[in-house]
């Protein structure tokens, strides 16, 4: 489907094979797939489409702007060289929306990190942070973009190697016009606070130096700000499990 910020009405799908239209309409009406996540106002369904692809459909009631933002960033980020889930469809009727993406052939970084800790397979969390995550986040921030949900469970990879991760759940991504440093600190603190395994302080400092391309003036102040924000994130009671 075209990359428009306005979703297509589910009863007005055009230009798609009949089987795909029927499938999307069934997704919209809850007739196929199984729910894999549900929070107030939003739930996610996993299904297999007529082409044999595993897909995820994120359905919302209200906050249609979030769906439009997600659809937009699913197209913008790849144009800037970042990996995201392949966007397939954006449907909207009133304040109800559905964004459909193809499943990523990878696993969440936190899952991989737990496996690495348990049985030594899948790579090293420290090497992944240093050689994959830190450079990717540096590139993202260098283009004036922040993620705002930069947690290990939103970074997908086949293994914890130097290959750049795939970003999942991109609807909160934006380009701040003011107080950009605040959002940079939040992104970096999200990584620190959501670490699924304990990493030595020296690893985090090395990751910060990789992110900054060395040790520029003010790096200690940034490190302290990130640590303080991470502590606040850890102290915050999440709304949903």
């Amino acid at each position: 489907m075209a990359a428009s910020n306005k979703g297509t009405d589910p009863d007005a799908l055009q230009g798609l094979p009949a089987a795909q239209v029927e499938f999307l309409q069934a997704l919209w009406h809850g007739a196929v797939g199984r729910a894999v996540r549900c929070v107030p106002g939003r739930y996610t369904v996993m299904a297999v489409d007529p082409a044999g692809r595993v897909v995820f459909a994120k359905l919302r009631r209200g906050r249609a702007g979030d769906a439009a933002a997600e659809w937009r960033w699913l197209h913008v980020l790849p144009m800037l060289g970042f990996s995201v889930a392949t966007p397939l469809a954006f449907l909207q009727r009133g304040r109800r929306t559905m964004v459909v993406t193809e499943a990523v052939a990878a696993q969440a970084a936190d899952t991989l990190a737990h496996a690495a800790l348990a049985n030594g397979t899948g790579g090293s969390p420290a090497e992944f942070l240093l050689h994959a995550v830190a450079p990717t986040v540096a590139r993202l921030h260098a283009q004036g973009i922040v993620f705002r949900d930069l947690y290990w469970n939103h970074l997908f990879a086949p293994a914890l190697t130097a290959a750049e991760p795939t970003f999942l759940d991109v609807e909160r991504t934006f380009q701040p016009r003011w107080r950009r440093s605040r959002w940079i600190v939040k992104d970096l603190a999200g990584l620190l606070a959501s670490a699924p395994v304990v990493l030595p302080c020296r690893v985090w400092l090395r990751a910060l130096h990789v992110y900054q391309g060395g040790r520029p003036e003010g790096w200690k102040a940034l490190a302290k700000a990130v640590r303080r924000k991470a502590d606040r994130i850890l102290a915050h009671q999440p709304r949903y499990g």
Side-chain angles (χ1 to χ4, degrees), residues 50-188:
R53 299 173 297 191
V54 177
V55 303
F56 289 92
K58 189 179 293 184
L59 297 104
R60 296 175 173 88
R61 292 187 180 274
R63 301 187 68 87
D66 288 354
E70 180 171 24
W71 185 247
R72 174 177 177 268
W73 284 108
L74 283 170
H75 291 82
V76 170
L77 288 171
M79 290 190 293
L80 298 175
F82 299 99
S83 176
V84 300
T86 300
L88 299 177
F90 176 23
L91 306 185
Q92 180 174 8
R93 178 179 293 158
R95 297 178 67 245
R96 187 181 175 206
T97 60
M98 181 174 76
V99 173
V100 184
T101 58
E102 187 173 357
V104 175
Q107 296 185 70
D110 58 345
T111 300
L112 292 170
H114 286 303
L117 181 66
N119 52 39
T121 62
S124 160
E127 294 304 305
F128 180 66
L129 176 66
L130 291 169
H131 301 301
V133 178
T136 303
V137 175
R139 278 202 309 117
L140 186 76
H141 288 172
Q143 299 195 54
I145 301 170
V146 294
F147 196 72
R148 288 202 290 176
D149 271 338
L150 194 57
Y151 308 123
W152 283 64
N153 64 324
H154 289 162
L155 299 173
F156 274 53
L160 298 179
T161 66
E164 289 198 355
T166 296
F167 289 108
L168 266 286
D169 293 329
V170 301
E171 64 262 29
R172 298 194 70 209
T173 304
F174 86 128
Q175 291 176 290
R177 296 177 60 185
W178 298 284
R179 302 184 68 188
R180 182 168 170 267
S181 60
R182 168 197 174 187
W183 299 109
I184 287 174
V185 167
K186 183 181 186 301
D187 271 1
L188 299 177

Side-chain angles (χ1 to χ4, degrees), residues 14 19 22 39 65 143 146 156 211 214 216 225 240:
Q14 297 178 351
E22 182 179 349
V39 298
Q143 299 195 54
V146 294
F156 274 53
Y211 166 82
Y240 315 116

